[in-house]
Each structure stands twice: as C-alpha cells, then as structure tokens.
Amino acid sequence: MTTTSAFSALAPYGWDEAWADQFTPYVSEGLLPGRVLRVDRGQCDVVTADGVVRADTAFVTPNDPLRVLCTGDWAVVEPAGNPRYVRTYLPRRTAFVRSTSSKRSEGQILAANVDHAIVAVSLAVEVDLGRIERFLALAWESGAQPIVALTKADLVPDAATLAHLVQDVETTAPGVPVLPVSAVDGAGLDVLAAVVSGGTSVLLGQSGAGKSTLANALLGEDVMDVQATRDVDGKGRHTTTTRNLLLMPGGGVMIDTPGLRGVGLWDAETGVGQVFSEIEELAARCRFHDCAHEAEPGCAVLAAIDSGELPVRRLESYRKLLRENQRIVAKTDARVRAEIRKDWKRKGAQGRAAMEAKRGRWQ
C-alpha cells in the first residue's frame, strides 16, 4: 500500500496529512490504516485502501472501557491473516463519552474523531429542554461542535409556533445552531447537510426522535431501518442497534447511533459550563468568587433572575447537572471526594455558627 493509494481511498472518510503523520511508525511494519465503520461482538468492519475488511479486536480490549475500539476510530490493521487483527488505533482527536447506567459508574465511549454532534429532538412530543442541555454538555465536552436538529418539523405547520419552539431551544443552547428539519417535505435538510459536509458527524437522540429517518434523508437512500413511534408517548423502539459510520453524498461521513434512554454525564464540567455560559458570565460579576448563587449579597446571578434576564429553570438545571457531574467524578477521583467532604464540613460549620448566633439573639 502506498501513501498515495491510502489518501485516495480514505480521504472521503476523513484521512488527512495529520493522520498520515500519526500512522508513520506503522508503515515499516506493512500495517494498514483504516477507519472503523462498526464494532460488534469482538470484531469490527474497517474500511482500508484494500476495501472493507473484517478484523478481530482482541488486541484492543483493555480493562479501561474508554480505551476500547469504537466507531470512528482510525485503526492500525494487519494486512492479512485469518483472523485479521486490529493492532491498535491512532490517538483520538475527540471522543463522545457518557456515563453508563451501571453502579460502577463507568464511562462509555459512543463515537470517536467527531467534528459535529447532531442532537435530534422530535417536535412530535413536548420538547424536553433539560434533556437537550444534557446532550449539549456531553457534546461540548467531547470537543465536537453541537447542532440541534428539531425533527418532524412538518408536524408544526404554524410558522409562528415553530419559530417560538426554535427560540426556546436557542435560549437553551447558546452558541449552537438550531435547525428545524423534516424528512417528509425536505425542509431544512439542505442547510443541515451543508453544515456537516466534509467532516464527521454523529447523530444522537432518544428512541423515536427520528434519527434513522433523518439519516436516510441526509444519505439519500434507505440505509437505516425505520419503525413507527408509539402514538401514546411518541417514543420508539431501538431501530438502530449498533453505531454505523456511513458516507454522505455531499461529502463527509455520519455515525448513526442507537437511541439513548439514559444520558449520564461523564466528567463534563467544561461542557456544562459551555451550555450555561450566560450563568458563568454572570457569576464572574458576583461579589464573592465562591458565590453559590443562593442568598449571598451582591450575587449577579440572583439579580438576573429577579430582573427576568435569567429563567429560574436554567439556574436549577445548571445546579442539577453540576451536582450530578461532581458525584460521577467523586466516584473515580479520591481528591475530589476529599474536597467534597471538606466542603460539606465547612457548610455544616457555617450552619451551626448561624444557629448559635440566632440562639444568642433569642436569649
């Protein structure tokens, strides 16, 4: 395999000079670069300059669940063999990670080397702004640029109502494009395709959000199976059961994912801060640098709530996600656990001192 042949075959999948430089140490061993299209049951499909090959992942199954091979990785593959093995993968540029629902609080990597994270939100049911904030926090933390695609926009025929829904989500998603789209009449699809063209995008959302239908519309063919959602609650079955990387006709690739019922944060403090950037900007103007935005004098955040500039829901959601993220980090970081205990003791001492002061005034 020559460098030129690798470029011509893999360029549509995102191969570039930087990836070629990363792969240089493996050239002398006769190994092949390739992008992982899907992973299932200890094996994976990898597109290489020689075509799509099936390879075993036994060499890349470490104890750390965040270091397992996943869709979107650039793999280092043996040129031949039965079975053929993936030796390793190139260092990831970005990684979309969520917390698992297990009691061990492990992280689960959903996709790697992603440029755009498309969060699909169905307009067939009431929009859950809190869930959107969760998805966006994980997307920002991954290093990808999030995009909110409001699917099934044809079900909201009134233009004023649709504009109001878009505005609500835009308020929830500062710095994020919010695009109403419809796979039925094609509205907004050209704009979304243009935004994600030339890079790698991952399609995320709950079951029933219309991800597979949207993927088919963007791909120009019925690649993904589609099932009807339940009329009673708008939820759907898991149409997609694996994460698949597919070429888009206008350039770039898309990773479709199974519907996510649970969207747990995983060490996403930076992502949370990005989602609630207006709160963090206000907090910088508080009188006290460690202001908890609860009852402190000179709190710019509470002042913004009093004036109506900041919705109470946003502050409550911000607090909730920060607490959740802190709990997750504390389970895996002894230093953070110690800091939390110290903070609890400090607040307990302050509470006891306040009670003693009140008693003194009562006597």
Side-chain angles (χ1 to χ4, degrees):
M1 180 202 70
T2 65
T3 303
T4 302
S5 63
F7 262 106
S8 60
L10 297 178
Y13 292 89
W15 188 254
D16 57 27
E17 291 282 358
W19 288 121
D21 289 343
Q22 293 275 0
F23 188 77
T24 300
Y26 305 103
V27 173
S28 61
E29 300 179 49
L31 299 172
L32 303 176
R35 191 144 199 206
V36 178
L37 303 179
R38 60 179 288 169
V39 180
D40 60 280
R41 295 185 295 276
Q43 292 191 315
C44 62
D45 292 334
V46 185
V47 60
T48 71
D50 295 339
V52 177
V53 302
R54 188 74 170 165
D56 196 294
T57 65
F59 286 139
V60 273
T61 53
N63 293 329
D64 184 351
L66 297 182
R67 298 180 63 189
V68 299
L69 197 71
C70 76
T71 303
D73 272 324
W74 282 102
V76 179
V77 188
E78 293 179 345
N82 188 20
R84 178 181 290 195
Y85 288 96
V86 173
R87 291 280 190 89
T88 185
Y89 59 84
L90 301 182
R92 293 162 176 158
R93 293 178 182 174
T94 63
F96 194 96
V97 180
R98 70 163 177 174
S99 175
T100 65
S101 57
S102 71
K103 293 182 180 179
R104 291 177 294 180
S105 299
E106 295 177 338
Q108 178 190 21
I109 183 164
L110 301 180
N113 303 312
V114 171
D115 300 302
H116 296 95
I118 306 172
V119 180
V121 179
S122 173
L123 292 179
V125 294
E126 185 176 354
V127 175
D128 187 339
L129 298 178
R131 181 169 289 270
I132 293 174
E133 288 163 346
R134 284 178 170 276
F135 273 111
L136 293 179
L138 294 178
W140 281 122
E141 191 69 33
S142 76
Q145 165 67 52
I147 300 167
V148 177
L150 299 178
T151 65
K152 308 181 185 182
D154 55 284
L155 298 180
V156 188
D158 181 65
T161 301
L162 181 59
H164 179 72
L165 289 169
V166 171
Q167 185 177 29
D168 276 353
V169 177
E170 286 177 338
T171 302
T172 301
V176 177
V178 178
L179 306 174
V181 297
S182 170
V184 173
D185 58 23
L189 293 179
D190 54 342
V191 177
L192 179 58
V195 171
V196 301
S197 66
T200 298
S201 57
V202 61
L203 193 52
L204 306 155
Q206 287 182 284
S207 298
K211 298 190 313 304
S212 294
T213 302
L214 179 58
N216 286 337
L218 291 171
L219 294 165
E221 54 183 315
D222 291 338
V223 176
M224 311 305 299
D225 291 332
V226 177
Q227 296 179 1
T229 57
R230 300 196 298 251
D231 290 336
V232 64
D233 56 10
K235 295 182 179 179
R237 304 178 186 88
H238 283 298
T239 302
T240 305
T241 56
T242 59
R243 289 173 279 279
N244 304 278
L245 186 146
L246 304 159
L247 276 176
M248 295 180 64
V253 294
M254 172 178 291
I255 300 174
D256 192 21
T257 64
L260 301 176
R261 289 194 176 93
V263 193
L265 300 185
W266 179 259
D267 196 5
E269 182 177 355
T270 301
V272 172
Q274 188 73 37
V275 174
F276 298 93
S277 57
E278 82 278 28
I279 295 180
E280 301 224 326
E281 289 172 3
L282 287 167
R285 302 203 297 267
C286 289
R287 182 182 301 175
F288 304 107
H289 74 277
D290 58 348
C291 183
H293 322 307
E294 293 176 350
E296 296 87 345
C299 176
V301 175
L302 295 180
I305 287 179
D306 290 340
S307 68
E309 177 187 352
L310 178 67
V312 173
R313 190 206 67 81
R314 284 284 282 173
L315 180 58
E316 291 175 346
S317 184
Y318 175 64
R319 287 170 171 164
K320 179 180 179 180
L321 293 186
L322 282 181
R323 286 195 302 267
E324 178 183 325
N325 189 71
Q326 190 178 49
R327 286 197 299 271
I328 290 294
V329 173
K331 288 180 179 180
T332 58
D333 191 320
R335 179 184 58 81
V336 174
R337 287 197 298 272
E339 289 178 352
I340 291 174
R341 284 195 294 269
K342 183 179 178 180
D343 188 52
W344 285 343
K345 290 179 180 179
R346 179 181 62 81
K347 289 183 177 179
Q350 290 176 341
R352 288 191 296 272
M355 287 302 298
E356 289 297 330
K358 287 182 179 179
R359 289 195 188 100
R361 289 196 297 270
W362 294 337
Q363 292 174 354

